[in-house]
């Protein structure tokens, strides 16, 4: 497997988390968390699950063409990290949530930003690589 396919593959694998968790929340609402909830909480859970599923779809779409969709990927990562910071504030200010929520926090504040840093490093490396016309210009060509 060529190295160029590793980052898009990693993004797609990571995107399976919001895709599957989002779909489960859309289908089962607050029941997905294994806790009782009223109609308002259930409705809100389904809405947020739909957004989560959308984040996974958007990440999958970005992975198909990171060169042109990197800006969208950056915004997506910022939104996910902001959500992670909100979750972290809850963890620090309240009781510790169950393990699946802590794993989600790891995805939001570690994995997703790491994928973005990987993309930025690859992009910076690609910009630093000489192109055929660069040597000609360096030698004094027009």
């Amino acid at each position: 497997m060529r190295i160029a396919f590793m980052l898009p593959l990693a993004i797609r694998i990571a995107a399976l988390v919001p895709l599957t968790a989002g779909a489960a929340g859309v289908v089962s609402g607050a029941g997905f968390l294994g806790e009782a909830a009223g109609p308002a909480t259930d409705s809100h859970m389904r809405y947020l699950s739909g957004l989560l599923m959308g984040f996974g779809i958007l990440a999958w779409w970005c992975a198909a063409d990171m060169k042109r969709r990197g800006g969208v990927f950056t915004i997506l990562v910022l939104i996910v990290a902001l959500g992670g910071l909100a979750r972290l504030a809850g963890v620090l200010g309240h009781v510790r949530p169950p393990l699946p929520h802590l794993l989600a926090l790891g995805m939001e504040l570690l994995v997703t930003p790491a994928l973005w840093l990987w993309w930025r490093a690859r992009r910076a490396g690609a910009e630093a690589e000489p192109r055929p016309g660069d040597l000609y210009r360096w030698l004094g060509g027009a």
Side-chain angles (χ1 to χ4, degrees):
M1 177 182 296
R2 287 187 32 201
I3 192 97
F5 293 110
M6 296 296 286
L7 177 60
L9 179 62
I11 292 170
R12 286 184 175 124
I13 290 170
L16 291 174
V17 174
L19 281 169
T20 56
V26 166
V27 170
S28 59
F32 174 64
L33 300 176
E35 297 181 8
T41 303
D42 185 75
S43 173
H44 194 61
M45 175 69 180
R46 289 177 196 271
Y47 170 76
L48 293 175
S49 295
L51 291 178
L52 186 61
M53 213 166 95
F55 290 161
I57 292 167
L58 188 57
W60 197 276
W61 177 78
C62 287
D65 189 355
M66 289 299 291
K67 190 171 189 173
R68 292 194 320 213
R69 299 172 183 163
V72 174
F73 184 65
T74 297
I75 293 167
L76 178 62
V77 169
L78 289 172
I79 292 169
V80 169
L82 181 61
L85 290 173
R87 187 189 302 266
L88 180 62
V91 169
L92 296 175
H94 302 290
V95 297
R96 188 178 141 204
L99 180 62
H101 296 268
L102 294 175
L103 294 174
L105 182 62
M107 285 292 294
E108 295 154 357
L109 295 181
L110 298 173
V111 175
T112 304
L115 289 170
W116 182 81
L117 288 171
W118 183 3
W119 168 70
R120 290 291 296 175
R122 282 195 56 220
R123 188 174 138 201
E127 290 172 357
E129 290 178 10
R131 294 173 294 259
D134 290 344
L135 179 59
Y136 178 73
R137 281 191 294 281
W138 184 78
L139 293 172

